Amino acid sequence: DQQVKQNSPSLSVQEGRISILNCDYTNSMFDYFLWYKKYPAEGPTFLISISSIKDKNEDGRFTVFLNKSAKHLSLHIVPSQPGDSAVYFCAASAGNQFYFGTGTSLTVIP
Amino acid sequence: DVKVTQSSRYLVKRTGEKVFLECVQDMDHENMFWYRQDPGLGLRLIYFSYDVKMKEKGDIPEGYSVSREKKERFSLILESASTNQTSMYLCASSLGTGGPNQPQHFGDGTRLSIL
């Protein structure tokens, strides 16, 4: 059974607006959460992470929010740029093993 | 920057063949991983390794084996390739020291087709 879920396979956003990507998980033992970005024909690249002891982490235009009670994770991109168009995977870990969601394809329209 | 190199970008093999996928990382990382990526299923862990000669099964190890004779190299082996192993295969590595919560660095993937 999928322990990390991304229920939206795709998302389209206008350039300059906010992109919000969502992720839900089932295992309360997960203590580290990450977002990866993947362009076609390339491997995923690490974007941003958050520990379970925090509820927010920012890095430039990217902010990750963690709601442990709801077992929900979200990535906000502000402002969105055409170069942000990619597939975004969320991942969660407990120890050295990582569990990935199925990905959300973001398209930023110029 | 961490560099994870997978030996082939595209590979076509026949059913029943023994297939080797090679992965090398240049940052002295302790942990290495093999995933496969399929549409609608995301990334699924096949095997991982914490150290030389050590291996652990992931979520979908059936039909696969691995080898880690040197720290920088992690090989995935399809013992007898089948058509349902047609997929994108991704190798990753991460630092083992400094705690378990270290991001993984991925190679660009090998798109394997089994005919």
Side-chain angles (χ1 to χ4, degrees), chain B residues 83-95:
Chain B
T83 53
N84 62 11
Q85 292 178 309
T86 292
S87 186
M88 169 69 84
Y89 289 87
L90 290 160
C91 174
S93 72
S94 69
L95 199 59

Side-chain angles (χ1 to χ4, degrees), chain B:
Chain B
D1 258 3
V2 177
K3 184 73 174 173
V4 179
T5 303
Q6 294 184 231
S7 54
S8 305
R9 292 300 300 271
Y10 300 94
L11 207 53
V12 180
K13 296 290 182 182
R14 296 214 171 269
T15 303
E17 280 192 70
K18 190 169 186 175
V19 181
F20 294 85
L21 302 183
E22 306 288 346
C23 174
V24 176
Q25 50 94 2
D26 66 358
M27 282 301 290
D28 204 35
H29 282 175
E30 288 78 12
N31 302 329
M32 295 189 75
F33 307 81
W34 275 107
Y35 294 87
R36 63 179 281 178
Q37 181 191 359
D38 299 289
L41 296 176
L43 276 68
R44 293 181 293 164
L45 182 64
I46 304 171
Y47 268 97
F48 59 105
S49 168
Y50 294 137
D51 202 350
V52 176
K53 296 195 186 296
M54 294 185 67
K55 59 185 179 184
E56 296 282 345
K57 291 180 180 179
D59 297 323
I60 51 165
E62 297 79 18
Y64 303 94
S65 63
V66 289
S67 172
R68 193 160 180 207
E69 296 296 320
K70 294 185 177 181
K71 191 175 185 180
E72 67 271 18
R73 186 180 295 270
F74 193 34
S75 303
L76 179 70
I77 303 155
L78 285 65
E79 297 290 345
S80 177
S82 64
T83 53
N84 62 11
Q85 292 178 309
T86 292
S87 186
M88 169 69 84
Y89 289 87
L90 290 160
C91 174
S93 72
S94 69
L95 199 59
T97 57
N101 293 335
Q102 300 289 335
Q104 297 177 348
H105 300 267
F106 283 84
D108 284 339
T110 296
R111 185 162 292 283
L112 175 65
S113 297
I114 307 295
L115 305 179

